[in-house]
Tab-separated table of all heavy atoms in Angstrom:
chain	number	residue	atom	x	y	z
Z	167	ASP	N	-54.651	-70.105	38.180
Z	167	ASP	CA	-53.401	-69.325	38.405
Z	167	ASP	C	-53.547	-68.263	39.485
Z	167	ASP	O	-52.610	-67.731	39.853
Z	167	ASP	CB	-52.965	-68.715	37.068
Z	167	ASP	CG	-52.645	-69.769	36.029
Z	167	ASP	OD1	-51.715	-70.550	36.308
Z	167	ASP	OD2	-53.325	-69.806	35.001
Z	168	VAL	N	-54.766	-67.941	39.842
Z	168	VAL	CA	-55.048	-66.954	40.842
Z	168	VAL	C	-55.336	-67.664	42.174
Z	168	VAL	O	-56.365	-68.336	42.243
Z	168	VAL	CB	-56.186	-66.041	40.439
Z	168	VAL	CG1	-56.229	-64.811	41.426
Z	168	VAL	CG2	-56.119	-65.612	38.995
Z	169	ALA	N	-54.502	-67.449	43.131
Z	169	ALA	CA	-54.774	-68.055	44.382
Z	169	ALA	C	-55.458	-67.027	45.325
Z	169	ALA	O	-55.285	-65.842	45.142
Z	169	ALA	CB	-53.444	-68.501	45.054
Z	170	GLY	N	-56.177	-67.576	46.328
Z	170	GLY	CA	-56.929	-66.651	47.218
Z	170	GLY	C	-57.908	-65.853	46.389
Z	170	GLY	O	-58.403	-66.356	45.340
Z	171	GLN	N	-58.292	-64.688	46.779
Z	171	GLN	CA	-59.243	-63.815	46.051
Z	171	GLN	C	-60.502	-64.528	45.664
Z	171	GLN	O	-60.962	-64.341	44.568
Z	171	GLN	CB	-58.522	-63.277	44.779
Z	171	GLN	CG	-57.158	-62.613	45.013
Z	171	GLN	CD	-57.259	-61.409	45.856
Z	171	GLN	OE1	-58.279	-61.011	46.398
Z	171	GLN	NE2	-56.097	-60.763	46.116
Z	207	PRO	N	-54.856	-52.708	46.191
Z	207	PRO	CA	-53.457	-52.283	46.236
Z	207	PRO	C	-52.691	-52.816	45.040
Z	207	PRO	O	-53.126	-53.836	44.478
Z	207	PRO	CB	-52.942	-52.724	47.485
Z	207	PRO	CG	-54.071	-53.191	48.341
Z	207	PRO	CD	-55.183	-53.486	47.374
Z	208	PRO	N	-51.547	-52.288	44.693
Z	208	PRO	CA	-50.729	-52.805	43.584
Z	208	PRO	C	-50.201	-54.151	43.883
Z	208	PRO	O	-49.953	-54.543	45.073
Z	208	PRO	CB	-49.517	-51.835	43.531
Z	208	PRO	CG	-49.872	-50.605	44.327
Z	208	PRO	CD	-50.969	-51.048	45.267
Z	209	GLY	N	-50.152	-55.012	42.878
Z	209	GLY	CA	-49.580	-56.348	42.991
Z	209	GLY	C	-50.458	-57.374	43.646
Z	209	GLY	O	-50.058	-58.394	44.050
Z	210	THR	N	-51.783	-57.068	43.695
Z	210	THR	CA	-52.680	-58.063	44.338
Z	210	THR	C	-53.319	-58.963	43.344
Z	210	THR	O	-54.121	-59.801	43.644
Z	210	THR	CB	-53.767	-57.339	45.097
Z	210	THR	OG1	-54.303	-56.316	44.382
Z	210	THR	CG2	-53.279	-56.812	46.387
Z	211	GLY	N	-53.013	-58.766	42.056
Z	211	GLY	CA	-53.471	-59.715	41.017
Z	211	GLY	C	-54.642	-59.174	40.235
Z	211	GLY	O	-55.387	-59.943	39.659
Z	212	LYS	N	-54.802	-57.876	40.102
Z	212	LYS	CA	-55.922	-57.425	39.345
Z	212	LYS	C	-55.790	-57.644	37.890
Z	212	LYS	O	-56.651	-58.191	37.179
Z	212	LYS	CB	-56.007	-55.873	39.589
Z	212	LYS	CG	-56.341	-55.445	40.992
Z	212	LYS	CD	-56.535	-53.984	41.164
Z	212	LYS	CE	-55.236	-53.196	40.946
Z	212	LYS	NZ	-54.175	-53.507	41.921
Z	213	THR	N	-54.577	-57.382	37.368
Z	213	THR	CA	-54.315	-57.703	35.948
Z	213	THR	C	-54.426	-59.152	35.738
Z	213	THR	O	-54.992	-59.564	34.720
Z	213	THR	CB	-52.977	-57.125	35.570
Z	213	THR	OG1	-52.844	-55.768	36.008
Z	213	THR	CG2	-52.755	-57.212	34.057
Z	214	LEU	N	-53.894	-59.887	36.620
Z	214	LEU	CA	-53.913	-61.338	36.531
Z	214	LEU	C	-55.394	-61.917	36.430
Z	214	LEU	O	-55.763	-62.793	35.645
Z	214	LEU	CB	-53.168	-61.957	37.654
Z	214	LEU	CG	-52.984	-63.487	37.776
Z	214	LEU	CD1	-52.072	-63.910	36.643
Z	214	LEU	CD2	-52.423	-63.820	39.089
Z	215	LEU	N	-56.177	-61.368	37.298
Z	215	LEU	CA	-57.616	-61.719	37.314
Z	215	LEU	C	-58.339	-61.493	36.046
Z	215	LEU	O	-59.092	-62.273	35.515
Z	215	LEU	CB	-58.374	-61.013	38.492
Z	215	LEU	CG	-58.408	-61.741	39.823
Z	215	LEU	CD1	-58.848	-60.751	40.904
Z	215	LEU	CD2	-59.267	-62.980	39.778
Z	265	ASP	N	-56.559	-51.288	31.847
Z	265	ASP	CA	-55.747	-51.286	33.040
Z	265	ASP	C	-55.356	-49.885	33.483
Z	265	ASP	O	-55.270	-49.029	32.660
Z	265	ASP	CB	-54.419	-52.075	32.748
Z	265	ASP	CG	-53.943	-52.833	34.018
Z	265	ASP	OD1	-54.415	-52.553	35.099
Z	265	ASP	OD2	-52.995	-53.634	33.850
Z	313	ASN	N	-55.755	-48.740	41.328
Z	313	ASN	CA	-55.369	-48.785	42.687
Z	313	ASN	C	-55.665	-47.468	43.431
Z	313	ASN	O	-55.161	-47.212	44.467
Z	313	ASN	CB	-53.968	-49.346	42.959
Z	313	ASN	CG	-52.956	-48.773	41.905
Z	313	ASN	OD1	-53.187	-47.659	41.449
Z	313	ASN	ND2	-51.957	-49.595	41.667
Z	345	ILE	N	-50.974	-68.617	47.512
Z	345	ILE	CA	-50.220	-67.929	46.385
Z	345	ILE	C	-48.826	-68.556	46.344
Z	345	ILE	O	-48.251	-68.874	45.256
Z	345	ILE	CB	-50.113	-66.475	46.660
Z	345	ILE	CG1	-51.547	-65.862	46.470
Z	345	ILE	CG2	-49.190	-65.753	45.688
Z	345	ILE	CD1	-51.603	-64.398	46.862
Z	348	VAL	N	-49.003	-71.822	44.639
Z	348	VAL	CA	-49.316	-71.671	43.175
Z	348	VAL	C	-47.966	-71.403	42.486
Z	348	VAL	O	-47.641	-72.042	41.445
Z	348	VAL	CB	-50.318	-70.549	42.908
Z	348	VAL	CG1	-50.198	-70.103	41.398
Z	348	VAL	CG2	-51.671	-70.997	43.206
Z	349	HIS	N	-47.179	-70.475	43.001
Z	349	HIS	CA	-45.894	-70.189	42.364
Z	349	HIS	C	-44.866	-71.275	42.521
Z	349	HIS	O	-44.024	-71.395	41.709
Z	349	HIS	CB	-45.462	-68.827	42.805
Z	349	HIS	CG	-46.273	-67.694	42.237
Z	349	HIS	ND1	-46.070	-67.194	41.020
Z	349	HIS	CD2	-47.284	-67.060	42.768
Z	349	HIS	CE1	-46.967	-66.270	40.759
Z	349	HIS	NE2	-47.753	-66.164	41.860
Z	373	GLY	N	-49.451	-60.291	46.492
Z	373	GLY	CA	-49.223	-61.482	45.574
Z	373	GLY	C	-47.918	-61.357	44.809
Z	373	GLY	O	-47.192	-62.277	44.561
Z	374	ALA	N	-47.719	-60.145	44.268
Z	374	ALA	CA	-46.524	-59.896	43.483
Z	374	ALA	C	-45.293	-60.111	44.264
Z	374	ALA	O	-44.263	-60.684	43.876
Z	374	ALA	CB	-46.501	-58.506	42.825
Z	377	ALA	N	-44.703	-63.780	44.898
Z	377	ALA	CA	-44.222	-64.492	43.672
Z	377	ALA	C	-42.707	-64.161	43.577
Z	377	ALA	O	-41.919	-65.056	43.213
Z	377	ALA	CB	-44.925	-63.865	42.442
P	1	LIG	P1	-51.915	-55.703	39.899
P	1	LIG	O1	-52.426	-55.619	38.561
P	1	LIG	O2	-53.012	-55.832	40.978
P	1	LIG	O3	-51.017	-54.585	40.288
P	1	LIG	P2	-50.729	-58.075	38.875
P	1	LIG	O4	-51.986	-58.775	38.456
P	1	LIG	O5	-49.997	-57.425	37.834
P	1	LIG	O6	-51.078	-57.049	40.040
P	1	LIG	O7	-49.892	-59.130	39.691
P	1	LIG	C1	-48.518	-59.192	39.479
P	1	LIG	C2	-48.013	-60.612	39.641
P	1	LIG	O8	-48.177	-61.065	41.059
P	1	LIG	C3	-48.853	-61.659	38.891
P	1	LIG	O9	-48.259	-61.777	37.644
P	1	LIG	C4	-48.628	-62.869	39.681
P	1	LIG	O10	-47.448	-63.527	39.387
P	1	LIG	C5	-48.550	-62.396	41.155
P	1	LIG	N1	-49.809	-62.446	41.803
P	1	LIG	C6	-50.502	-61.430	42.358
P	1	LIG	N2	-51.639	-61.853	42.945
P	1	LIG	C7	-51.655	-63.155	42.781
P	1	LIG	C8	-52.585	-64.249	43.220
P	1	LIG	N3	-53.722	-63.876	43.879
P	1	LIG	N4	-52.282	-65.506	42.859
P	1	LIG	C9	-51.178	-65.788	42.173
P	1	LIG	N5	-50.278	-64.917	41.785
P	1	LIG	C10	-50.505	-63.595	42.054
Side-chain angles (χ1 to χ4, degrees):
D167 296 300
V168 190
Q171 308 297 2
T210 45
K212 297 183 293 297
T213 309
L214 184 67
L215 268 167
D265 210 350
N313 38 32
I345 293 173
V348 162
H349 287 277

